[in-house]
């Protein structure tokens, strides 16, 4: 409520008033917000989110698209580059610093470059959403029924120390994501947990995994190779293309070890490049997905959203549908 009220207060300088209803959720919205201006009004479905970053833009953009054409992002601060990207995606927003993009038949407001009145200090995330905790959450979300297994099994599947599982499970219980039902531990609110994991993965864990970046003259080879021979698995856009067939990859994402990346490089005409179109990240999980040459679907989905690219949103929506169907089944 405080975040939304702070952003709404900035609209007064445009002679816009608002009626806020945060009690009644509508289509997964955090609130309903009706804006009034001279000559018109509009009802928005609000997605409220602090700390917007390039790495989390894809996940936020997908949520806004799911809320429909009347979706409105309310946040604490939108930097000028992110403001441009949101406008290019056709996604409306307001923030508590006074930046805004609102477009209706009788209204157009476009403000960027306003700085927050004071340095923002977002609250520290739970340890479960930091790097080691995210590995555990990934395994719990990706492997059906794993939450009910012994901690040692969970640790092996997540690739973490046994002790890590203990405090992650305790925090998940405190956060309302885990409970014992009928003598068996079970995940609660898996859809909400999935969305929080995807955002935290892009922001916190993924940057720590990158081993190498290469530039390949073409990417025509990605669908012909058996990456498993080099100890690699395919993720990101290329893996999504194999599963959905609705995206043409512009980058190839692979997971493996540093040694595997060196072996792979000797077989392809590539050179190291800081902004290359082939990335190799450290494989951080201990279980096999099906098919084994592809990364787990949850990770492919997270890779798509981490690009923040409009191209990837359609494929991400398709992947999300498949993931949520599994949770509801």
């Amino acid at each position: 409520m405080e975040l939304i009220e702070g952003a709404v207060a900035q609209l007064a300088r445009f002679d816009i008033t608002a009626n806020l209803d945060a009690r009644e959720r509508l289509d997964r919205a955090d609130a309903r917000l009706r804006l009034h201006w001279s000559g018109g009004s509009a009802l928005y479905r609000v997605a409220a989110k602090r700390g917007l970053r390039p790495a989390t833009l894809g996940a936020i953009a997908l949520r806004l698209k799911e809320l429909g054409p009347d979706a409105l992002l309310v946040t604490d601060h939108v930097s000028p580059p992110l403001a441009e990207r949101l406008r290019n995606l056709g996604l409306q927003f307001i923030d508590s610093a006074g930046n805004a993009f609102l477009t209706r038949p009788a209204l157009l407001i476009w403000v960027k470059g306003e700085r927050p009145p004071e340095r923002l200090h977002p609250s520290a995330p739970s340890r479960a959403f930091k790097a080691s905790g995210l590995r555990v959450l990934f395994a719990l979300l990706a492997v059906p029924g794993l939450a009910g297994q012994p901690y040692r099994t969970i640790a092996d599947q997540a690739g973490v120390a046994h002790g890590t599982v203990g405090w992650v499970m305790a925090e998940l219980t405190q956060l309302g994501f885990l409970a014992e039902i009928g003598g068996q531990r079970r995940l609660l609110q898996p859809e909400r947990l999935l969305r929080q994991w995807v955002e935290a993965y892009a922001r916190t864990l993924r940057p720590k995994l990158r081993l190498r970046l290469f530039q390949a003259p073409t990417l025509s080879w990605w669908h012909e190779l058996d990456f498993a021979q080099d100890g690699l698995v395919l993720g990101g856009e290329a893996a999504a293309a194999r599963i959905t067939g609705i995206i043409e990859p512009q980058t190839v994402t692979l997971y493996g070890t540093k040694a595997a990346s060196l072996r792979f490089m000797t077989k392809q005409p590539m050179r190291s490049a800081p902004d290359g179109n082939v990335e190799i990240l450290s494989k951080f999980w201990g279980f096999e997905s099906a098919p084994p040459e592809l990364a787990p679907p949850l990770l492919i989905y997270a890779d798509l959203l981490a690009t923040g690219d409009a191209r990837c949103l359609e494929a991400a929506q398709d992947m999300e549908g498949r993931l949520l169907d599994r949770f509801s089944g």
Side-chain angles (χ1 to χ4, degrees):
M1 280 288 290
E2 181 182 353
L3 175 62
I4 299 175
E5 289 171 351
V8 165
Q10 293 290 335
L11 295 176
R13 58 183 173 150
F14 306 115
D15 294 323
I16 295 177
T17 59
N19 299 116
L20 172 65
D21 185 353
R23 295 167 298 173
E24 183 176 348
R25 292 174 180 261
L26 183 64
D27 294 339
R28 298 179 179 175
D30 295 317
R32 296 189 306 174
L33 183 66
R34 183 173 291 278
L35 301 184
H36 304 267
W37 63 92
S38 176
S41 68
L43 179 67
Y44 286 98
R45 298 175 176 90
V46 172
K49 183 67 180 178
R50 294 183 183 274
L52 184 66
R53 300 290 183 271
T56 60
L57 178 62
I60 297 299
L62 184 58
R63 184 181 177 201
L64 290 169
K65 286 184 176 293
E66 290 173 344
L67 289 177
D70 298 326
L72 178 67
L73 170 64
V74 178
T75 187
D76 44 10
H77 183 241
V78 179
S79 67
L82 287 178
E84 290 284 358
R85 292 176 71 178
L86 286 167
R87 187 178 71 159
N88 291 339
L89 289 169
L91 300 174
Q92 301 180 74
F93 70 86
I94 59 175
D95 73 14
S96 50
N99 301 292
F101 173 56
L102 296 171
T103 176
R104 307 292 292 193
L107 176 71
L108 175 60
I109 293 177
W110 169 232
V111 180
K112 67 174 183 175
E114 296 289 342
R115 296 177 179 274
E118 57 186 20
R119 184 173 178 82
L120 301 174
H121 295 285
S123 58
S126 161
R127 287 197 303 167
F129 290 93
K130 294 184 179 180
S132 57
L134 289 171
R135 296 172 187 250
V136 178
L137 298 187
F138 175 66
L140 293 174
L141 288 165
V143 181
L146 184 61
Q149 297 297 310
Y151 283 7
R152 180 66 64 187
T153 301
I154 297 173
D156 291 342
Q157 300 285 279
V160 300
H162 180 272
T164 300
V165 176
W167 59 255
V168 170
M169 301 297 268
E171 289 199 6
L172 287 180
T173 301
Q174 294 173 0
L175 294 169
F177 288 120
L178 186 73
E180 187 168 308
I181 301 173
Q184 184 82 357
R185 288 192 306 271
R186 298 183 186 276
L187 286 182
L188 305 177
Q189 308 180 76
E191 294 183 18
R192 180 171 162 240
L193 181 59
L194 180 149
R195 287 184 165 87
Q196 290 192 22
W197 181 86
V198 166
E199 289 186 28
Y201 166 76
R203 182 178 60 249
T204 303
L205 179 55
R206 198 178 198 277
K208 300 177 184 295
L209 300 175
R210 181 170 284 170
L211 295 174
R212 304 183 71 91
L213 273 170
F214 301 110
Q215 181 66 35
T218 71
L219 296 178
S220 59
W221 42 264
W222 71 266
H223 53 80
E224 301 171 353
L225 298 183
D226 179 4
F227 297 105
Q229 290 183 349
D230 293 307
L232 299 168
V233 295
L234 188 64
E237 297 175 38
R242 286 196 179 181
I243 293 172
T244 69
I246 59 176
I247 185 172
E248 183 63 33
Q250 294 186 7
T251 63
V252 171
T253 300
L254 297 163
Y255 288 85
T257 64
K258 185 172 289 188
S261 71
L262 292 173
R263 288 196 302 270
F264 177 72
M265 185 180 180
T266 63
K267 298 181 180 181
Q268 296 296 326
M270 297 187 297
R271 58 178 176 80
S272 294
D275 57 351
N277 56 6
V278 179
E279 61 174 351
I280 300 183
L281 294 86
S282 178
K283 182 175 179 289
F284 62 93
W285 62 95
F287 57 91
E288 282 195 0
S289 59
E293 68 271 15
L294 298 184
L298 173 57
L299 189 57
I300 298 170
Y301 168 72
D303 283 337
L304 290 171
L305 293 181
T307 67
D309 194 320
R311 256 179 346 99
C312 299
L313 289 184
E314 183 181 359
Q317 283 181 298
D318 185 272
M319 294 291 300
E320 182 180 72
R322 296 164 188 257
L323 290 167
L324 297 184
D325 284 346
R326 180 170 66 82
F327 289 130
S328 62

